[in-house]
Coordinates of all heavy atoms in Angstrom, one line a residue:
L132 N 14.9 -8.9 51.1 CA 14.8 -9.7 49.8 C 13.3 -9.8 49.4 O 13.0 -10.2 48.3 CB 15.4 -11.1 50.0 CG 16.8 -11.1 50.4 CD1 17.3 -12.6 50.4 CD2 17.7 -10.3 49.5
A133 N 12.4 -9.4 50.4 CA 11.0 -9.6 50.0 C 10.5 -8.4 49.3 O 10.8 -7.2 49.7 CB 10.2 -9.8 51.3
T134 N 9.7 -8.6 48.3 CA 9.1 -7.5 47.5 C 7.6 -7.6 47.7 O 7.1 -8.6 48.4 CB 9.4 -7.6 46.0 OG1 8.9 -8.9 45.6 CG2 10.9 -7.5 45.8
E135 N 6.8 -6.8 47.0 CA 5.3 -6.9 47.0 C 4.9 -8.2 46.5 O 3.9 -8.8 47.0 CB 4.8 -5.8 46.1 CG 4.9 -4.4 46.5 CD 3.6 -3.9 47.0 OE1 2.7 -3.8 46.2 OE2 3.5 -3.6 48.3
D136 N 5.6 -8.7 45.5 CA 5.2 -9.9 44.8 C 6.0 -11.2 45.4 O 6.4 -12.0 44.6 CB 5.6 -9.8 43.3 CG 4.3 -9.7 42.5 OD1 3.2 -10.0 43.1 OD2 4.4 -9.3 41.3
T137 N 6.2 -11.2 46.7 CA 6.9 -12.3 47.3 C 6.0 -13.3 47.9 O 5.0 -13.0 48.5 CB 7.8 -11.7 48.4 OG1 8.9 -11.1 47.7 CG2 8.4 -12.9 49.2
R138 N 6.3 -14.6 47.6 CA 5.6 -15.7 48.2 C 6.5 -16.6 49.0 O 7.7 -16.8 48.6 CB 4.9 -16.5 47.1 CG 3.7 -15.9 46.6 CD 3.6 -15.8 45.1 NE 3.1 -14.5 44.7 CZ 2.8 -14.2 43.5 NH1 2.9 -15.1 42.5 NH2 2.3 -13.0 43.2
I139 N 6.0 -17.3 50.0 CA 6.7 -18.2 50.8 C 6.1 -19.6 50.7 O 4.8 -19.6 50.8 CB 6.7 -17.8 52.3 CG1 7.3 -16.4 52.5 CG2 7.3 -18.8 53.2 CD1 8.7 -16.4 52.2
V140 N 6.8 -20.6 50.3 CA 6.2 -21.9 50.2 C 6.8 -22.8 51.3 O 8.0 -22.9 51.5 CB 6.6 -22.5 48.8 CG1 5.8 -23.8 48.6 CG2 6.3 -21.6 47.7
V141 N 5.9 -23.5 52.1 CA 6.4 -24.4 53.1 C 5.8 -25.8 52.9 O 4.7 -25.9 52.4 CB 6.1 -23.9 54.5 CG1 6.9 -22.6 54.8 CG2 4.7 -23.6 54.8
E142 N 6.5 -26.8 53.3 CA 6.2 -28.1 53.1 C 5.6 -28.7 54.4 O 5.8 -28.2 55.5 CB 7.4 -28.9 52.8 CG 7.8 -28.9 51.3 CD 6.9 -29.7 50.4 OE1 6.2 -30.6 50.9 OE2 6.8 -29.4 49.2
K143 N 4.9 -29.9 54.3 CA 4.6 -30.6 55.4 C 5.8 -31.4 55.9 O 6.7 -31.6 55.1 CB 3.4 -31.5 55.2 CG 3.7 -32.9 54.6 CD 2.5 -33.8 54.5 CE 2.7 -35.0 55.4 NZ 3.5 -36.0 55.0
P144 N 6.0 -31.8 57.2 CA 5.0 -31.6 58.2 C 4.9 -30.2 58.7 O 6.0 -29.6 59.0 CB 5.5 -32.6 59.3 CG 7.0 -32.7 59.1 CD 7.2 -32.5 57.7
F145 N 3.7 -29.7 58.8 CA 3.5 -28.3 59.3 C 3.3 -28.5 60.8 O 2.1 -28.5 61.3 CB 2.4 -27.6 58.6 CG 2.5 -26.1 58.9 CD1 3.4 -25.3 58.1 CD2 1.8 -25.5 59.9 CE1 3.5 -23.9 58.4 CE2 1.9 -24.1 60.2 CZ 2.7 -23.4 59.4
G146 N 4.3 -28.7 61.6 CA 4.2 -28.9 63.0 C 4.0 -30.4 63.3 O 3.9 -31.2 62.4
H147 N 4.0 -30.6 64.6 CA 4.0 -32.0 65.2 C 2.7 -32.1 66.0 O 2.2 -33.2 66.2 CB 5.2 -32.1 66.1 CG 5.4 -33.5 66.5 ND1 5.9 -34.5 65.7 CD2 5.3 -34.1 67.7 CE1 6.0 -35.6 66.4 NE2 5.7 -35.4 67.6
D148 N 2.1 -31.0 66.3 CA 0.9 -31.0 67.1 C 0.3 -29.5 67.0 O 0.9 -28.7 66.3 CB 1.1 -31.4 68.5 CG 2.2 -30.6 69.2 OD1 2.6 -29.6 68.7 OD2 2.6 -31.0 70.3
L149 N -0.8 -29.3 67.7 CA -1.4 -28.0 67.6 C -0.4 -26.9 68.1 O -0.3 -25.8 67.4 CB -2.7 -28.0 68.4 CG -3.4 -26.6 68.4 CD1 -3.8 -26.1 67.0 CD2 -4.7 -26.7 69.3
G150 N 0.2 -27.1 69.2 CA 1.1 -26.1 69.8 C 2.2 -25.7 68.8 O 2.4 -24.5 68.5
S151 N 2.9 -26.7 68.2 CA 4.0 -26.4 67.3 C 3.5 -25.8 66.0 O 4.1 -24.9 65.4 CB 4.8 -27.6 67.0 OG 4.0 -28.7 66.6
A152 N 2.3 -26.2 65.5 CA 1.7 -25.6 64.3 C 1.4 -24.1 64.6 O 1.7 -23.2 63.7 CB 0.5 -26.3 63.9
R153 N 0.9 -23.8 65.8 CA 0.6 -22.4 66.1 C 1.9 -21.6 66.1 O 1.9 -20.5 65.6 CB 0.0 -22.4 67.5 CG -1.5 -22.6 67.5 CD -2.2 -22.2 68.8 NE -3.6 -22.4 68.7 CZ -4.3 -23.0 69.7 NH1 -3.7 -23.3 70.9 NH2 -5.6 -23.2 69.6
E154 N 2.9 -22.2 66.7 CA 4.2 -21.5 66.7 C 4.7 -21.2 65.3 O 5.1 -20.1 65.0 CB 5.2 -22.3 67.5 CG 5.3 -22.0 68.9 CD 6.3 -22.9 69.6 OE1 7.4 -23.2 69.1 OE2 6.0 -23.4 70.7
L155 N 4.6 -22.2 64.5 CA 5.1 -22.0 63.1 C 4.3 -20.9 62.4 O 4.8 -20.0 61.7 CB 5.0 -23.3 62.3 CG 6.0 -24.3 62.6 CD1 5.7 -25.6 61.8 CD2 7.4 -23.8 62.3
N156 N 2.9 -21.0 62.6 CA 2.1 -19.9 62.0 C 2.5 -18.6 62.5 O 2.5 -17.6 61.7 CB 0.6 -20.2 62.3 CG 0.0 -21.2 61.3 OD1 0.5 -21.3 60.2 ND2 -1.0 -21.9 61.7
A157 N 2.7 -18.5 63.8 CA 3.0 -17.2 64.4 C 4.4 -16.7 63.8 O 4.6 -15.5 63.5 CB 3.1 -17.3 65.9
T158 N 5.4 -17.6 63.7 CA 6.7 -17.2 63.2 C 6.5 -16.7 61.8 O 7.1 -15.6 61.4 CB 7.6 -18.5 63.1 OG1 7.6 -19.0 64.4 CG2 9.0 -18.1 62.7
L159 N 5.8 -17.4 60.9 CA 5.6 -16.9 59.6 C 4.9 -15.6 59.5 O 5.2 -14.7 58.8 CB 5.0 -18.0 58.7 CG 5.8 -19.3 58.5 CD1 5.0 -20.3 57.7 CD2 7.1 -19.0 57.7
A160 N 3.8 -15.5 60.4 CA 3.0 -14.3 60.4 C 3.8 -13.1 60.8 O 3.4 -12.0 60.5 CB 1.8 -14.5 61.3
A161 N 4.8 -13.3 61.6 CA 5.6 -12.2 62.1 C 6.3 -11.5 60.9 O 6.7 -10.3 60.9 CB 6.7 -12.6 63.1
H162 N 6.5 -12.2 59.8 CA 7.3 -11.7 58.6 C 6.4 -11.5 57.4 O 6.8 -10.8 56.5 CB 8.5 -12.5 58.4 CG 9.4 -12.7 59.6 ND1 10.2 -11.7 60.0 CD2 9.5 -13.7 60.5 CE1 10.8 -12.1 61.1 NE2 10.4 -13.3 61.4
F163 N 5.4 -12.4 57.3 CA 4.6 -12.4 56.0 C 3.1 -12.4 56.3 O 2.7 -12.9 57.3 CB 5.0 -13.6 55.1 CG 6.5 -13.5 54.7 CD1 7.4 -14.3 55.5 CD2 6.9 -12.7 53.7 CE1 8.7 -14.2 55.2 CE2 8.2 -12.7 53.4 CZ 9.2 -13.4 54.1
D164 N 2.4 -11.9 55.3 CA 0.9 -11.9 55.4 C 0.5 -13.3 55.0 O 1.1 -14.0 54.1 CB 0.4 -10.8 54.4 CG -1.1 -10.6 54.6 OD1 -1.4 -10.1 55.6 OD2 -1.8 -11.1 53.7
E165 N -0.7 -13.7 55.5 CA -1.2 -15.0 55.2 C -1.4 -15.2 53.6 O -1.2 -16.3 53.1 CB -2.6 -15.2 55.9 CG -3.3 -16.6 55.6 CD -2.5 -17.8 56.1 OE1 -1.8 -17.7 57.1 OE2 -2.7 -18.8 55.4
S166 N -1.7 -14.1 53.0 CA -1.9 -14.1 51.5 C -0.6 -14.4 50.8 O -0.6 -14.7 49.6 CB -2.5 -12.8 51.0 OG -1.5 -11.8 51.2
Q167 N 0.5 -14.4 51.5 CA 1.8 -14.7 50.8 C 2.3 -16.1 51.2 O 3.4 -16.5 50.7 CB 2.9 -13.7 51.3 CG 2.6 -12.3 50.9 CD 3.6 -11.3 51.5 OE1 3.8 -11.2 52.7 NE2 4.4 -10.8 50.6
I168 N 1.6 -16.8 52.1 CA 2.1 -18.1 52.6 C 1.4 -19.3 51.9 O 0.2 -19.4 51.9 CB 1.9 -18.2 54.1 CG1 2.6 -17.0 54.8 CG2 2.5 -19.5 54.7 CD1 2.4 -16.8 56.2
Y169 N 2.2 -20.2 51.3 CA 1.6 -21.3 50.6 C 2.0 -22.6 51.3 O 3.2 -23.0 51.2 CB 2.2 -21.3 49.1 CG 1.6 -20.2 48.3 CD1 2.0 -18.8 48.6 CD2 0.7 -20.4 47.3 CE1 1.4 -17.8 47.9 CE2 0.1 -19.3 46.6 CZ 0.5 -18.1 46.9 OH -0.1 -17.0 46.2
R170 N 1.1 -23.2 52.0 CA 1.4 -24.4 52.7 C 1.0 -25.6 51.8 O -0.2 -25.7 51.5 CB 0.6 -24.5 54.1 CG 1.0 -23.5 55.1 CD 0.2 -23.6 56.3 NE 0.3 -22.4 57.1 CZ -0.2 -21.2 56.9 NH1 -1.0 -21.1 55.8 NH2 0.0 -20.1 57.6
I171 N 2.0 -26.4 51.5 CA 1.7 -27.5 50.5 C 1.2 -28.7 51.2 O 1.7 -29.2 52.2 CB 3.0 -27.9 49.8 CG1 3.4 -26.7 48.9 CG2 2.9 -29.2 49.1 CD1 4.3 -27.1 47.7
D172 N 0.1 -29.2 50.6 CA -0.3 -30.6 50.9 C -0.4 -31.2 49.5 O -1.3 -30.8 48.7 CB -1.7 -30.7 51.6 CG -2.1 -32.2 51.8 OD1 -1.9 -33.0 50.9 OD2 -2.5 -32.5 52.9
H173 N 0.6 -32.0 49.1 CA 0.7 -32.4 47.7 C -0.6 -33.1 47.2 O -0.8 -33.2 46.0 CB 2.0 -33.1 47.3 CG 2.0 -34.5 47.7 ND1 2.2 -35.0 49.0 CD2 1.8 -35.6 46.9 CE1 2.1 -36.3 49.0 NE2 1.9 -36.7 47.7
Y174 N -1.4 -33.7 48.1 CA -2.6 -34.3 47.6 C -3.5 -33.4 46.9 O -4.2 -33.7 46.0 CB -3.3 -35.0 48.8 CG -2.9 -36.5 48.8 CD1 -1.6 -36.8 49.0 CD2 -3.8 -37.5 48.7 CE1 -1.2 -38.1 49.0 CE2 -3.4 -38.8 48.7 CZ -2.1 -39.1 48.8 OH -1.7 -40.4 48.8
L175 N -3.5 -32.1 47.3 CA -4.4 -31.1 46.7 C -4.0 -30.8 45.2 O -4.7 -30.3 44.4 CB -4.5 -29.8 47.5 CG -5.2 -30.0 48.8 CD1 -5.1 -28.7 49.6 CD2 -6.6 -30.3 48.6
G176 N -2.7 -31.1 44.9 CA -2.2 -30.9 43.6 C -2.5 -32.0 42.6 O -2.3 -31.9 41.4
K177 N -2.9 -33.2 43.2 CA -3.2 -34.3 42.3 C -4.4 -34.0 41.4 O -5.4 -33.6 41.9 CB -3.4 -35.6 43.2 CG -2.2 -36.1 43.8 CD -2.5 -37.4 44.6 CE -1.3 -37.8 45.4 NZ -0.3 -38.6 44.7
E178 N -4.2 -34.4 40.2 CA -5.3 -34.1 39.2 C -6.6 -34.7 39.6 O -7.7 -34.0 39.6 CB -4.8 -34.8 37.9 CG -5.3 -34.4 36.6 CD -5.3 -33.0 36.2 OE1 -4.4 -32.2 36.7 OE2 -6.1 -32.6 35.4
T179 N -6.6 -35.9 40.1 CA -7.8 -36.6 40.5 C -8.4 -36.0 41.8 O -9.6 -36.1 42.0 CB -7.6 -38.1 40.6 OG1 -6.4 -38.3 41.3 CG2 -7.6 -38.8 39.3
V180 N -7.6 -35.5 42.6 CA -8.2 -34.9 43.8 C -8.9 -33.6 43.5 O -10.0 -33.3 44.0 CB -7.0 -34.6 44.9 CG1 -7.6 -33.9 46.1 CG2 -6.4 -36.0 45.3
Q181 N -8.3 -32.8 42.5 CA -9.1 -31.7 42.1 C -10.4 -32.1 41.3 O -11.4 -31.4 41.4 CB -8.2 -30.9 41.1 CG -7.0 -30.3 41.8 CD -6.0 -29.8 40.7 OE1 -6.3 -29.0 39.9 NE2 -4.8 -30.2 40.8
N182 N -10.3 -33.3 40.7 CA -11.5 -33.7 40.1 C -12.6 -34.0 41.0 O -13.8 -34.0 40.6 CB -11.1 -35.0 39.3 CG -11.5 -34.9 37.9 OD1 -12.6 -34.4 37.6 ND2 -10.7 -35.4 37.0
L183 N -12.3 -34.3 42.3 CA -13.4 -34.5 43.3 C -14.3 -33.3 43.2 O -15.5 -33.4 43.3 CB -12.8 -34.6 44.7 CG -12.2 -35.9 45.1 CD1 -11.7 -35.8 46.5 CD2 -13.2 -37.0 45.0
M184 N -13.7 -32.1 43.2 CA -14.5 -30.9 43.2 C -15.3 -30.8 41.9 O -16.5 -30.4 41.8 CB -13.7 -29.7 43.4 CG -13.3 -29.5 44.9 SD -12.4 -28.0 45.3 CE -10.7 -28.5 44.8
A185 N -14.6 -31.1 40.8 CA -15.3 -31.0 39.5 C -16.5 -32.0 39.4 O -17.6 -31.6 39.0 CB -14.3 -31.3 38.3
V186 N -16.3 -33.2 39.9 CA -17.4 -34.2 39.9 C -18.5 -33.7 40.8 O -19.7 -33.7 40.4 CB -16.9 -35.6 40.4 CG1 -18.0 -36.5 40.7 CG2 -16.0 -36.1 39.3
R187 N -18.2 -33.2 42.0 CA -19.3 -32.8 42.9 C -20.0 -31.5 42.4 O -21.2 -31.5 42.4 CB -18.7 -32.5 44.3 CG -18.5 -33.7 45.1 CD -18.4 -33.3 46.6 NE -19.5 -32.7 47.1 CZ -19.6 -32.0 48.2 NH1 -18.5 -31.9 49.0 NH2 -20.7 -31.4 48.7
F188 N -19.2 -30.6 42.0 CA -19.9 -29.3 41.8 C -20.1 -28.9 40.3 O -20.6 -27.9 40.0 CB -19.1 -28.2 42.5 CG -18.9 -28.4 43.9 CD1 -17.6 -28.4 44.5 CD2 -20.0 -28.8 44.7 CE1 -17.5 -28.7 45.9 CE2 -19.8 -29.1 46.1 CZ -18.6 -29.0 46.7
G189 N -19.6 -29.8 39.4 CA -19.8 -29.6 38.0 C -21.0 -30.4 37.4 O -21.3 -30.3 36.3
N190 N -21.5 -31.3 38.3 CA -22.6 -32.1 37.8 C -23.9 -31.9 38.6 O -23.8 -31.7 39.8 CB -22.2 -33.6 38.0 CG -21.1 -34.0 37.0 OD1 -21.3 -34.1 35.8 ND2 -19.9 -34.1 37.6
M191 N -25.0 -32.0 38.0 CA -26.3 -31.8 38.8 C -26.6 -33.2 39.4 O -27.3 -33.2 40.4 CB -27.4 -31.4 37.8 CG -28.6 -31.0 38.4 SD -28.3 -29.6 39.5 CE -29.8 -29.7 40.5

Side-chain angles (χ1 to χ4, degrees):
L132 305 183
T134 57
E135 289 257 297
D136 250 348
T137 285
R138 280 133 222 190
I139 300 294
V140 188
V141 294
E142 276 288 338
K143 86 172 245 285
F145 197 83
H147 190 71
D148 54 14
L149 177 58
S151 52
R153 276 195 180 135
E154 268 175 42
L155 286 177
N156 275 335
T158 305
L159 294 177
H162 304 285
F163 299 96
D164 188 71
E165 180 64 31
S166 63
Q167 298 179 292
I168 303 170
Y169 291 71
R170 294 176 195 77
I171 289 203
D172 181 314
H173 79 281
Y174 265 57
L175 290 176
K177 287 182 191 275
E178 201 53 26
T179 41
V180 174
Q181 294 167 54
N182 234 321
L183 285 179
M184 283 185 279
V186 167
R187 276 197 64 193
F188 305 128
N190 293 286
M191 193 55 200

